[in-house]
Amino acid sequence: MTKSSREVDSLHADGRVVSLGVAPQNAERAMILVHGRGATPESILSLVDELPSDLGFAFVAPGASESTAHPGSWYPKSFLAPIEANEPGLSSGLAKIEEAVLELGMHGIAPENILLVGFSQGACLTAEFAARRAQRWGGMAALTGGLVGDRDEPRDYAGGFHGTPVFLGCSDRDPHVPLWRVDETEDVLRRMGAQVEKRVYPGMPHTVIRDELDWIESTMRQLASQHHSESTEVATQSG
């Protein structure tokens, strides 16, 4: 049965949104971080302690509702289940990320200056959001996750990534995220025009490691450098 827009909009409406770093109204670029199953915005924001703080980023972490039957979870079943089995949680979670993007846009931060980062269930939600909203983003990192849906789910996403840098990191034996789905996600996003960096870590537990954070940091620095170059060019032309 199709869920109403009211059900979709309301499920995670009470989920908290927590921010760190530069206030969005003063930021030049931003990172949206999406937490995993049963977790909190604060848990994913702990990664910020391992990232540079001097690059003008606002860090925004939308949270899943903590008052549902599955507190802190974006959707109830495995991300490998049919799409409908995870509704309305899936659509409501995607809408929560969209709200964050729109809020940042109101402060003048365009998608090409936004990095999308998620871990575990949050990585799956982030990858699915990016695919459904394909355009030039500042970057996307799915840390132990992949596109949502079963093997028969059609992958006929509209739009293209126009060279968006994408990172997919996963263990070769993760208990929740099979490597075949990460491989499939790589193929889909690459066909859509993303520049995909996939790294498989033998025996890595279900966690985030420094090598993954290094990719995120490098992408942050590239975004900051591009902005600096554009600003310098404008200043030179004005002079």
Side-chain angles (χ1 to χ4, degrees):
M1 184 172 109
T2 302
K3 302 295 182 180
S4 70
S5 59
R6 183 180 296 275
E7 287 178 288
V8 169
D9 292 342
S10 65
L11 187 66
H12 293 303
D14 65 346
R16 295 175 300 112
V17 179
V18 182
S19 300
L20 288 177
V22 179
Q25 59 268 31
N26 299 322
E28 299 170 342
R29 54 199 69 88
M31 183 184 301
I32 298 175
L33 300 101
V34 187
H35 67 75
R37 185 184 296 272
T40 64
E42 289 84 1
S43 67
I44 191 71
L45 281 174
S46 67
L47 297 181
V48 173
D49 292 337
E50 307 298 324
L51 297 171
S53 60
D54 60 347
L55 299 178
F57 273 80
F59 300 96
V60 180
S65 173
E66 297 175 9
S67 60
T68 65
H70 305 276
S73 295
W74 295 106
Y75 46 83
K77 299 185 181 299
S78 165
F79 81 114
L80 301 173
I83 293 288
E84 182 60 26
N86 277 315
E87 294 291 13
L90 175 61
S91 291
S92 187
L94 295 171
K96 197 76 174 180
I97 300 177
E98 179 71 18
E99 288 175 11
V101 172
L102 292 175
E103 179 71 20
L104 291 169
M106 290 176 62
H107 295 297
I109 304 176
E112 59 264 28
N113 285 315
I114 297 176
L115 261 168
L116 304 169
V117 176
F119 169 65
S120 192
Q121 190 185 61
C124 301
L125 193 69
T126 298
E128 189 68 21
F129 175 82
R132 295 191 188 193
R133 286 275 273 104
Q135 59 187 301
R136 175 67 197 210
W137 294 95
M140 192 275 281
L143 310 178
T144 309
L147 294 170
V148 178
D150 62 17
R151 283 183 180 269
D152 297 326
E153 191 66 36
R155 300 298 177 186
D156 52 355
Y157 303 105
F161 284 104
H162 307 289
T164 295
V166 167
F167 179 87
L168 303 174
C170 192
S171 171
D172 61 342
R173 60 192 73 179
D174 189 87
H176 307 291
V177 180
L179 191 54
W180 63 262
R181 174 50 60 87
V182 180
D183 292 339
E184 178 184 79
T185 300
E186 176 190 19
D187 292 341
V188 171
L189 301 186
R190 197 180 293 280
R191 287 200 306 270
M192 294 174 69
Q195 294 183 349
V196 183
E197 173 78 20
K198 183 183 68 178
R199 298 180 188 175
V200 179
Y201 303 98
M204 182 180 75
H206 194 75
T207 189
V208 178
I209 62 173
R210 183 67 241 180
D211 189 67
E212 296 173 305
L213 294 174
D214 286 345
W215 185 93
I216 295 173
E217 178 175 340
S218 175
T219 305
M220 290 173 67
R221 294 191 182 281
Q222 288 174 15
L223 277 180
S225 175
Q226 289 170 8
H227 182 85
H228 177 74
S229 297
E230 291 169 359
S231 298
T232 302
E233 182 178 347
V234 170
T236 301
Q237 292 173 350
S238 299

